[in-house]
Structures are given as structure tokens and as C-alpha cells.
């Protein structure tokens, strides 16, 4: 969704989620939030990159951890700044980082980006355990039926 390849959530909805997450982190819930975020990221990437149940490679695990911590840290620091979040610069950086991460994930798994994007779209439109039991549906997936 962040790369712009898949319709993203409305900006005001995303901002509310970020603000709530940052508030939880500030109130001492950072470890819990990180565990939830890591679990969601792992479940989505495992469903996308390892559809036959194989394990994620150690490099992919590190990339997931790196991005989860980086995104949460970025949101937290930007939410505390005077400019607030999301600024246009922060959104552009996030889009750039998502594209880079997608490319890295594809390279690490030896997969074509188009295949991975199709699987991501399918994973985000599924219900159930892909995102830790939470229903995730992109607008495009919902519109396609």
C-alpha cells in the first residue's frame, strides 16, 4: 500500500492509527506495540514469500525487524515534531522506503516483483491469520469483488 502500487488507506484514517500507536508507545507500551507490528509484518511476508509454509530466510527476518523498528521510530519522532505527521516529505520517504524494501524482499527470495505484488494484494484482501487475525482489505481488492 505504501509503495502506491496498492490503494492505501485514507490519510486521515492512517493518521489516527499512527497517533494512537504513538500514544501507546509513549505510555510505556512500546514493546507490546513492536511485538504486534512484528507479528503482522512477519505473517504478511510469510504468506507472500512462503506460501508453502517454508520459513523466512534470516536476511528477510532481519529486513522485517529493521523496517518495523524504523517505521515505528519514524512515526513516533514525527508525531512529536511541530510539523506533525504525516508531512508530505514523510509520506514520500515512506513510499521510497517501501519500494526499496519490496525490491530487497524480491531479491532475497529470488522472486519477481510483479509476483510478489500480486501475492501482497491477495494477502491484504484475505481475512484471518495473515495479519494476526485482523481483517485487512484494500480498496482495490474490495472493488474487484
Amino acid at each position: 500500500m505504501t509503495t502506491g502500487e496498492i490503494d492505501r488507506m485514507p490519510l486521515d484514517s492512517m493518521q489516527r492509527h499512527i497517533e494512537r500507536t504513538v500514544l501507546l508507545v509513549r505510555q510505556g507500551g512500546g514493546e507490546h506495540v513492536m511485538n504486534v507490528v512484528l507479528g503482522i509484518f512477519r505473517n504478511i511476508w510469510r504468506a507472500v514469500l512462503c506460501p508453502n509454509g517454508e520459513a523466512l530466510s534470516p536476511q528477510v527476518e532481519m529486513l522485517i525487524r529493521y523496517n518495523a523498528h524504523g517505521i515505528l521510530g519514524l512515526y513516533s519522532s514525527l508525531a512529536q515534531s511541530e510539523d506533525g505527521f504525516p508531512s508530505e516529505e514523510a509520506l514520500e520517504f515512506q513510499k521510497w522506503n517501501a519500494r526499496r524494501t519490496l525490491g530487497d524482499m524480491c531479491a532475497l527470495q529470488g522472486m519477481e516483483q510483479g509476483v510478489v505484488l500480486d501475492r501482497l494484494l491477495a494477502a491484504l484482501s484475505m481475512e484471518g491469520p495473515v495479519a494476526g487475525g485482523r481483517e485487512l482489505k484494500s480498496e482495490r481488492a474490495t472493488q474487484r469483488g
Side-chain angles (χ1 to χ4, degrees):
M1 292 181 334
T2 308
T3 65
E5 301 292 333
I6 299 172
D7 296 332
R8 65 177 194 230
M9 295 196 306
L11 202 53
D12 59 336
S13 174
M14 186 171 90
Q15 186 166 358
R16 281 193 309 271
H17 289 295
I18 292 168
E19 289 168 355
R20 289 179 186 149
T21 301
V22 168
L23 181 61
L24 192 60
V25 169
R26 285 186 194 157
Q27 297 299 316
E31 186 175 345
H32 175 71
V33 170
M34 183 50 62
N35 288 335
V36 170
V37 169
L38 277 170
I40 290 169
F41 279 26
R42 272 194 196 106
N43 288 339
I44 290 171
W45 282 111
R46 190 177 298 121
V48 170
L49 299 173
C50 308
N52 298 321
E54 59 270 29
L56 293 168
S57 74
Q59 295 89 350
V60 169
E61 282 281 349
M62 289 295 140
L63 189 54
I64 290 169
R65 284 182 173 277
Y66 182 82
N67 273 280
H69 283 275
I71 289 168
L72 201 55
L74 177 66
Y75 288 176
S76 185
S77 67
L78 289 174
Q80 295 177 45
S81 74
E82 290 181 16
D83 296 335
F85 186 86
S87 67
E88 196 59 39
E89 293 83 15
L91 291 173
E92 285 304 312
F93 173 80
Q94 187 177 2
K95 183 183 273 190
W96 171 85
N97 186 59
R99 287 184 177 142
R100 183 185 58 84
T101 300
L102 177 63
D104 290 345
M105 291 288 193
C106 293
L108 289 169
Q109 289 298 125
M111 299 175 72
E112 292 183 31
Q113 191 164 321
V115 171
V116 172
L117 280 172
D118 287 346
R119 288 183 183 181
L120 270 171
L121 182 57
L124 291 171
S125 65
M126 291 175 60
E127 297 178 14
V130 170
R134 188 169 167 219
E135 291 184 25
L136 289 177
K137 290 192 179 247
S138 72
E139 286 181 33
R140 186 179 296 168
T142 303
Q143 290 171 356
R144 291 196 308 202

